[in-house]
Amino acid sequence: MGAKQSSQDDAGRENLDALKEEIERLRKALSEEEEERKKTTREEDKKTSKTTSAPIQVDDRELEKRLLLQTQSDGEVDSASFASQHEVDPKRIVGIIKSLAASNVVVFSETDKNTLNLTEEAMSFIENGSPEARAFDFVKSKGKNGVSLPEFKKLEKTISEVGFKQAMQQKWLAMDKATNSVVAKVEEITDTCRTYLRMIKEGKKEEVPAKELDALIKKRKLAKVETWKEYAVKRGPEFALERKKLEHDLTKEMLANGAWKTATFKEYTLVPGAGNIPASGHVHPLLKVRRAFREIFLQLGFSEMPTNNFVESGFWNFDTLIQPQQHPARDAHDTFFMKTPAKANFAPEEYVEKVKKMHEVGGHGSVGHNYAWKREEADKNILRTHTTAVSARMLHKLAEDGFKPCKLFSIDRVFRNEAVDRTHLAEFHQVEGVVCDKGLTLGDLIGVIRQFFAQLGMTQVRFKPAFNPYTEPSMEIFAFHPMLGKWVEVGNSGMFRPEMLLPMGLPEDVSVIAWGLSLERPTMIMFGIDNIRDLFGSKMQLQSVKNNQLCPLGLEK
Ligand code: PHE
């Protein structure tokens, strides 16, 4: 058997060698052909395109121009043939078409396309026969006894594995267990795999039986489906050979020089539903909390102070509160100054004189601040830094009108030149309470504050000595926050100094207790907002206004 076997081997090897040579020859021929093709297209490119020398491609603007020209002359342009005509990636053409369509220069309709691409392997099957056919041919050439398995395994893998498996399935080959060899089971075969692949290559895939086609694509992965869209382009309502430059914004210059009359503006891309009238309005969380605070003050018998002046003079904001003019809070780092009108101070001159005297030399037992008070500082217009400016105006009016005990409150906006961060903005709201009566003491202040905060649901309140230029004694207010599980600062308070009250003309035995807090802080805590920019300003989401809960203040108990 040995001699016979080896001669068969030799024949097989010769066969294989011949195959390999053939493959090599084909490969060479193919690559030469490819080279030749590239050369000629380069030369053609040189002839047809003046703008570029191949292989560098034409730019999008040039392509756009050519597309528009062709649309004008042909009436309809097909994206795929246009792309191949200009030897550019069809995706670029699609991009240009869509952008032209967005400006209504063209309109297009799209069609889904697909093709079946053969793999390199499939191409080699077409060339050399399918591996199963080659496996069969080989075994068949060895005669009746076939080929021993170890010998067969020595063939190239495509034949010995893929080909063997397929040929076994087709029942072309079989294993002879007794001799452990691969033997041919049939006399003749037709290489259907190769035939079908050829049909696909020739564009006759419809003629391949569906089941076989499916197996070639899915099981054997010899062909791949490629899908894409093709666009048929026609002239649009704004058709022109050159696209008009679209303006994005209406500028001051365009208004001044009249360019707006002829400019073409880009259309807005609005989200669906933009401009719809909302189903209903919604109350902003700050307003919900403000309303609750108001209600509490009103229930406690307080009346609201008129806070309708954001612009205030330094006089009412600081000087009446006997806050010295060189106090750091009064410089531009903390306070916003008005440019025009930079000055205004509507205060009775004799009162201004009294305030000046208190600053410079004191009186009523006080030594004052002992410096040269300047009228111009007092007259400067600023954005009020606290609502205590309004309280000062009201107390002065109370003295002028003739003292009566009173309880006042305000809730309104104040401004400070602060670095903006997640808990600070340059403007916020203050809540302020003022009680004015004869013989009030620190005990009254503590009692009123306890009552006030109890209404808010904060029953555990603590006080800490503090300093304010215009109150003595002064206390910071802390409340225990059950949700946060800690003591948080909720406000500031004190008894207005006699240096502030006496120049106003209030009787000597009148004391004024007062406290203030921000509206934002409790609102953020109550609504679980941890960045103030989510509560106030341009970044606030309307949706969050719509969705937020009722203000819990005043609803408990
Ligand atoms: N005006 C103080 C502030 O801006 C608050 C305050 C008001 C303090 C009344 C004492 C009395 O923080």
Side-chain angles (χ1 to χ4, degrees), residues 319-330:
D319 292 285
T320 62
L321 300 173
I322 319 298
Q323 189 151 336
Q325 292 184 326
Q326 57 279 13
H327 192 284
R330 295 187 68 156

Side-chain angles (χ1 to χ4, degrees), residues 385-386 388 416 430 432-433 468 470-471 492-494 496 514-516:
T385 65
H386 55 184
T388 315
R416 290 186 192 174
Q430 278 191 332
E432 185 152 320
N468 285 316
Y470 38 89
T471 54
N492 188 5
S493 69
F496 285 132
W515 70 100

Side-chain angles (χ1 to χ4, degrees), residues 109-135:
S109 57
E110 43 180 54
T111 352
D112 288 316
K113 294 274 174 173
N114 61 65
T115 183
L116 203 52
N117 288 336
L118 291 176
T119 63
E120 250 180 60
E121 199 183 17
M123 296 303 261
S124 80
F125 290 2
I126 292 176
E127 214 61 62
N128 310 311
S130 72
E132 56 268 35
R134 290 171 65 194

Side-chain angles (χ1 to χ4, degrees), residues 482-495:
M483 250 155 63
L484 302 179
K486 61 177 182 188
W487 291 90
V488 290
E489 196 194 328
V490 291
N492 188 5
S493 69
M495 300 184 71

Side-chain angles (χ1 to χ4, degrees), residues 434-450:
V434 176
V435 182
C436 180
D437 204 351
K438 291 191 175 166
L440 291 177
T441 65
L442 188 64
D444 292 304
L445 179 60
I446 291 173
V448 169
I449 287 172
R450 277 195 193 286

